Amino acid sequence: MFKPIYLSVLVIIFFTSCGSDTGSINPTDLKVEHLTAPLGLDTSEPRLSWKIESTGPNLVQTRYHISVDTDSIAVANGLGTLLNQNAQSDENLLIYNGKPLKPFTKYYWGIQISTSNSRKSDVRVSSFETGMMDKSNWEGSWITDVEDINLKPAPYFRKEFELPKKVLRARAYITAAGLYELTLNGQKVSDNWLEPIYTRFDRRNLYVTHDVTSYFKDGKIAVGVLLGNGWYNHQSTAVWNFHEAGWRNRPRFLMNIRVWFTDGSSEVLATDRSWRTQLSPVVFNSIYTAEHYDARLELPGWDQVNYDDSNWNTALEVKAPSDKITAEVMLPITGEKLEFAKMEKRNDRVYIFDLSRNIAGVTELRVQGNKGTRIKITHSEQLDSLGNLDLSNINVHYRPKDTLDPFQTDIYTLKGIGTEVFRPRFNYKGFQYVQVEGDRPIDISQEDLSAYFLHSGVTPVGKIHTSNETINKIWQATNASYLSNLFGYPTDCPQREKNGWTGDAHINIETGLYNFDTIRVYEKWMADHKDEQQDNGVLPAIIPTWGGWGYTWANGPDWTSTIAIIPWQLYQFYGDDRSLREMYDPIKKYVDYITSLSYDGGLTDWGLGDWVPVKSVTPKEFTSSIYYYIDALILSKAALHFGKQDEHLKYAQLAENIKNAINKKYLNEETGIYGSGYQTELSAPLYWGIVPEALKQKVADNLALEVQKTNHVDVGLLGSRTILGALSENGYAELAYVLASQETYPSWGWWIKNGATTLFENWKIEGSRALSRNHVMFGAISGWFFKGLGGIRPDESAPGFKHIQLKPNFVKPLQSFESTYNSIHGPIISKWEWKGNKIAYFCEVPPNSSATLSIKGKTATLDGKTIETVSNGQMEITVGPGNYNFQITPN
């Protein structure tokens, strides 16, 4: 079953941190929809949440008073008229249930909390702002320049407006099929990249809200928009055939700028046929390959007032790409500027740069030269034996029809005036090395090229540090790969594909959630799942897709179980069941479809299998049936949570039937071996709860024996999720650590020792296939660091880390380990260090939470006081909020 693993408990003790509850308590980190003061919300029932800041131990919230109003002073005084609720509760996540919210309105909300000793906090105030809320509130029309999917230059659009009254506030609401860059009076309105986030364009389009009040200082304003192709008009050709997408068309957009005046009136500036359009210097752009820019074609002042656009064309009003426009409610894609570590001048035309790390992103070139000089900026992950750029590991799926669109190669043509700066807008690449090559001599220095690391701007919430530098670097490399593959949806690699492969995503869900605040990205991606799910329940292997790829190959429960696993994990980590609730029916439809394919009492062969294994190949039927079981079990638990008793019993029985069918075919009960006894065959049923309770230790012992044959991993993608946890949760934590810290092939450390700064796609560094050097695929190890060594785990009975399971493993080969996870209640710290033959263990439990600590040892003291001597060396200690120092004598 999908359940916690409990130790044999002889002693259960409750402790509180030293001191009384005399400190202060205040709400902090106020969020709406898991964002700080968001703009442009569409939901009528936003989620309101906060953390608790305490200056003393043992303080918990016992009451809250929440107030919502459009008047911030009323809210600060607890006098909100839209919602004024006083409740006895320790909850810190609420769903708004006040008077109906209106569109385009700024609301303030305040929270005051009380403790068990009746001490009250100050009122803390934050805000949120609604957006369109309904498609009917949009005005104007979608516009483009021409209906020609083969036209390569990107289009400019502009219009000037004159506003005779003083502006109080202004918001730009903009949606696009493709990508956009918005300027007002020649200034870019945000530092965000690649907006809006990619969706299946014929099902749903996202709009972004910008606060543009500061641009309306004068009565006249020029609005400029540059459109890029993005995934909407895929002009490059590759094996996924996005150029054949049914939605494909010339990029288009719809924008409403709403302006509120100081006299109480308002006006909407909307797109329509009165806008003017012209081709831009962006002569080619592809999200997949690169961007080409001809600076000789620049139109100075095109997005500023009083520009003469009389020779521009009239915009074309066009049909909307889909019937649904919804708010983009997540942190945007951001860019971190980096400098290159090395530069080699090959000759006066060719320069090679080394960033010293692999990233997803773009480069920015500063250069002087003669007009018409053509510069190619090529990006790669590796060099060949002669030190030249080598793209052979990432261009294997590219199918160019000519030589005009070289892979990962920006092309810039100089205008010949002063220092010119080029940075692509509508593309990103995966790279460490860059070659800058001119068709004429150019003179550049190392400082003339910079890089921008692009990814969704999610907030880090987790950190580990150990005495083993290889482990530290594996954690850093895993997180770098995770971020390199997060662009409003999780991807597999930032160069060769950029696709939302489902298998990679659910394997790494705990890595994502322990390290970053990613709930909004995953909730958006679950909406993508709903867009893509067919009426019969089938999902494609990549999401989003275009309707013609991924439905007939590579999908199946071992990959597309994202639909169940991710909403369940969001509930476990955040205590927020909205995604699980919204995905309940799609999960049920999906499980029912697998059931229609199943045979022999609960088996299925639908899937892709343990992808890219080291050597041993686990039967696809085995792993796909296990994921069928996981889906059915999650569905049964969700049904119970939502009070659907009949469906809970139905799917719980289905899960039991699947488990029995797997064990009947694959488990030798006498030997305790599944199948051929490969690492994935033994670790997957252990980890996911397939093994009968009476045989768990025997199967775990067999797994340990199999691993000890080489002390190296012999798994593929699916096994990489289970091998470490199956060992560490069943008495073999030190053996799991040996695998995790191994530095010879095949291992994560092998990559690190060979210079990796991100994770690779293949255990082999040199091979014939699957050779991306920035693949998050094998990244589940990062989540295991928090669980398997730090022991930080959510408790299914009190999700969102309301109650914490602390089960650290003090492995002898590692001198020290520290993990911090900033949960929705605050930081959880689990830290240990060997001091001679004793262990110093420290843990921190955040306010409003509790934890059960499971430790092993002959003796243990807490803050110098002996707590128990246990004959078999196992105990459980329940603690409240606070900091705790233990000294443990190991067995």
Side-chain angles (χ1 to χ4, degrees), residues 149 234-238 240-245 248 401 546:
I149 62 174
H234 212 278
Q235 293 180 324
S236 301
T237 49
W240 302 279
N241 298 325
F242 276 92
H243 62 286
E244 297 178 1
R248 187 181 171 192
K401 295 181 178 179
W546 59 272

Side-chain angles (χ1 to χ4, degrees), residues 754-769:
N754 281 271
T757 59
T758 47
L759 302 187
F760 291 179
E761 183 185 11
N762 200 318
W763 298 109
K764 295 179 181 178
I765 295 176
E766 302 293 339
S768 58
R769 58 186 289 274

